[in-house]
Amino acid sequence: MSLAASLSPDHLMSAPLPDLLVELDAELYDSSITDRTFFGCAIQRRDGHVALAMPPGRDEVERDTIARMLLGKLLGIQMAPLPRGLSAAVTAG
């Protein structure tokens, strides 16, 4: 994903999420996993498209924050470490 090289942590965390998803060719899906310890996963397909799967029913702030953290981790953007106890599963494939 060529845009990732020019994506700053500031932009990742401040751009409106819908705009960021379009910019990164990413879509956010509801996962069938409802376990409270599952925060979501990001998968980059061979064609570069990114799929974010997150549990339904989480509040908007949590969903927005986790989506940004997953994208940042997947794209290798320098960010602060994830909070203790938060395991972000990121799979590239």
Side-chain angles (χ1 to χ4, degrees), residues 1-84:
M1 186 172 295
S2 60
L3 185 59
S6 63
L7 188 67
S8 71
D10 247 9
H11 183 67
L12 174 69
M13 298 309 285
S14 64
L17 186 58
D19 295 348
L20 190 61
L21 293 174
V22 168
E23 194 176 323
L24 296 174
D25 189 23
E27 288 187 66
L28 182 56
Y29 301 93
D30 283 338
S31 169
S32 61
I33 301 170
T34 56
D35 185 320
R36 286 299 300 166
T37 63
F38 175 71
F39 291 94
C41 67
I43 301 164
Q44 187 169 20
R45 298 179 181 149
R46 287 182 184 89
D47 66 2
H49 180 79
V50 175
L52 294 172
M54 298 176 66
R58 302 284 172 95
D59 70 59
E60 191 174 329
V61 172
E62 179 181 351
R63 196 167 170 91
D64 182 275
T65 303
I66 298 298
R68 293 170 191 278
M69 294 170 97
L70 289 169
L71 285 168
K73 187 168 181 182
L74 178 73
L75 300 173
I77 296 171
Q78 288 285 68
M79 302 183 326
L82 296 175
R84 178 176 238 174

